[in-house]
Structures are given as structure tokens and as C-alpha cells.
Amino acid sequence: MKAVWILVLSDSNKPLSYGDLTHHRKPESAYNSRMLALLRSIFLVAALAAVLIQGTATPAAQATTSGTGISARGNWTPPTGAAPRLPNGKPDFSGVWDHQYVPDMTATNRNPALQKGPKELPFSPAGLENMKNYDPVRDGDYTGMCMPYGLMRSMNAPYPMQIFQNDKYIAFLFEVSTWFHVVPFRNEHPKEIDPTWFGNSIAKWDGDTLIVDTIGFNGYTRLDTVGRPHSDKLHLTQTFKHIDAGHVTYTVTVDDPVYYTQPWTNERTMTLSNGELLEYSCEENNKSLWEGRIKLWIPPNASQPRSTPSFPEGKK
């Protein structure tokens, strides 16, 4: 059943690399139940079909269909009243949030309120060359080795995230690979930043809109599953604003002068879930890597040769 599911997913999303196929296979032991893993697989196929079908319900109603995890309880209708606030009066985004799976940041849902991309990207000559040479099957993909997805691909993943918030910090807990990103409320980035997979983020307010400003990326990741590039000069600006208690509008603006001639934006709607995050261990069941079916990935400009693991006869 799992093999059939992976084949369907691969055929439905031709740009998927080997690495991205692995992140859809959660290990059975992580849930202590074969049935739970099977249900997760079945659900993701249904969710993918829903994205492809792209119905025409109202934005708030259709948003409830996006990405709801199998840990969520049935008969759940997200609240539509006034958005909650912290004691300091600022909007409170705490909770588990479902969101659209966005493997292609240029695409737009038939209902643009759910997910809207720019259609065409303003590639620079370097960006066009990078995409022309991008081949994750030949060169490997960092997600296939369970390396950090980075901030943007974690936001794009088809799994929920949880937000914790107080006066000093806002924290994003991603179900995918159990990554997290803690963001302080401050006016400026540090003067010296060590480049990282998720970058250095600061949070600030513009009225009731939360702005998360991020720089300091290591340049190792891709923006989406299709493989849109970014450099270490990437500057991401994310905004979060409550529509009501159960829905949040989200935008992300990509500004990278190396690979794009001007900034571009993707817009989405997130929906409050009544479920909990599930454990996700990419490493535990990544058989395709240690059995040599996934090409080993190395960071850009690294000197070590690419190779695949070798095993004694009969040990695969």
C-alpha cells in the first residue's frame, strides 16, 4: 500500500526529487502503530487531490480543508469570532495551524484566498542558470539526507505547525522533522550573524500585523520542492494577520538580489486545528539513503567527492 501511495505522489508532482519523497514516509515506530502511518499516507493523497481539484467554497470554509492532520478530532469547525489577544493587547497566534502544501511557490490555487503565487519569477541571469543546472537526482537533495529543510520549505511542507507566543518571543514548531524556530521581538538584527539553515529572524508589529524579518541564511536550501534557488543574501519578510479567531492570512516576500531582479510574494490562508503535532523522525526509516538509492548531497563549494554508501553482499 505504501509503495502504491509513493508512486501516486510522485506521478502527481513530477518536480519532486528523491529527497522530497523521503519526507513523506514517516516511520511506523514514531506512532507505535502501522495503521496510523497508513492513515497518514492515505490522508496526504486525499489532501493532494484536494489541492489539485481546488474547489470553490468560500475562503474561510475552504481553508478548513487544508492540511488537517490525522491527530485532529472530527466535527471540528474553526472559530470565526474575534481573534484572541495577549494581556499586552497584541494579537495572539498561539495554537496548531494547518496550511496549504506549497511545492511550487509560483502556482495559485483556483481559490486564490487559499494560496496565491506570482506565476512567473523575476530570475536574474544567475537564477536562470541555477535552475537550468539544478538536478537533485544527479547531485542529491539535502532533504533526502534529512538535513534541515530551512525556513521556507518548512513553511511549505504539508504538515501543521504550532506557534507559541509571549511578550518577548514567538516560536514556530514544525511537525516536519520536528524542526523549530524561535524568534525574539526586537527592532534590529545583530550586527554579526552566523549563517544558518533557518536564518536569523526578528519579530515586530505593524498594528495588528506580525512581521517576521529573516536574513543570515547559509544558502544551502531551496525555496520550494520544485527547487527555486536562493543565496546567502536571501531576505524573507513574512506577515501574519488574523482574519478571525480561526484563520490567519500569511504572506512571504522573497528578496534575493543574486537570483532575482526584484522581490516577489506568495500569499496564503492558515486555519486553526484542534489536533496536536505528531513526532516525525526523518532519519529512522530513511532506507533509500543508506541503501544507496538517494544520491549523497554535499554543501555547495564543499570539496569531498560525491559517493553512495556501499554494503557487504546481502546486507541491503
Side-chain angles (χ1 to χ4, degrees), residues 41-179:
S41 301
I42 293 171
F43 163 74
L44 283 173
V45 173
L48 179 61
V51 172
L52 294 175
I53 293 171
Q54 298 176 330
T56 56
T58 61
Q62 191 170 349
T64 64
T65 67
S66 61
T68 302
I70 61 174
S71 63
R73 298 178 293 275
N75 301 319
W76 163 248
T77 300
T80 57
R85 292 182 179 271
L86 295 173
N88 64 8
K90 296 298 184 181
D92 185 1
F93 294 94
S94 299
V96 176
W97 294 93
D98 290 318
H99 50 85
Q100 291 290 317
Y101 172 37
V102 185
D104 181 354
M105 291 183 67
T106 68
T108 295
N109 192 288
R110 184 175 299 173
N111 180 352
L114 293 182
Q115 202 277 127
K116 182 180 180 181
K119 189 176 180 179
E120 301 290 340
L121 295 184
F123 283 115
S124 67
L128 289 173
E129 185 69 15
N130 186 287
M131 284 300 298
K132 177 182 177 180
N133 294 326
Y134 177 59
D135 187 344
V137 176
R138 179 194 65 203
D139 299 329
D141 183 274
Y142 62 97
T143 63
M145 294 181 62
C146 300
M147 303 298 280
Y149 277 35
L151 182 57
M152 200 62 256
R153 271 177 87 171
S154 295
M155 293 296 300
N156 291 342
Y159 304 110
M161 69 174 180
Q162 188 164 4
I163 296 177
F164 290 95
Q165 179 186 349
N166 61 24
D167 292 352
K168 294 183 178 181
Y169 299 94
I170 185 163
F172 300 87
L173 280 64
F174 301 101
E175 181 174 301
V176 60
S177 289
T178 321
W179 301 119

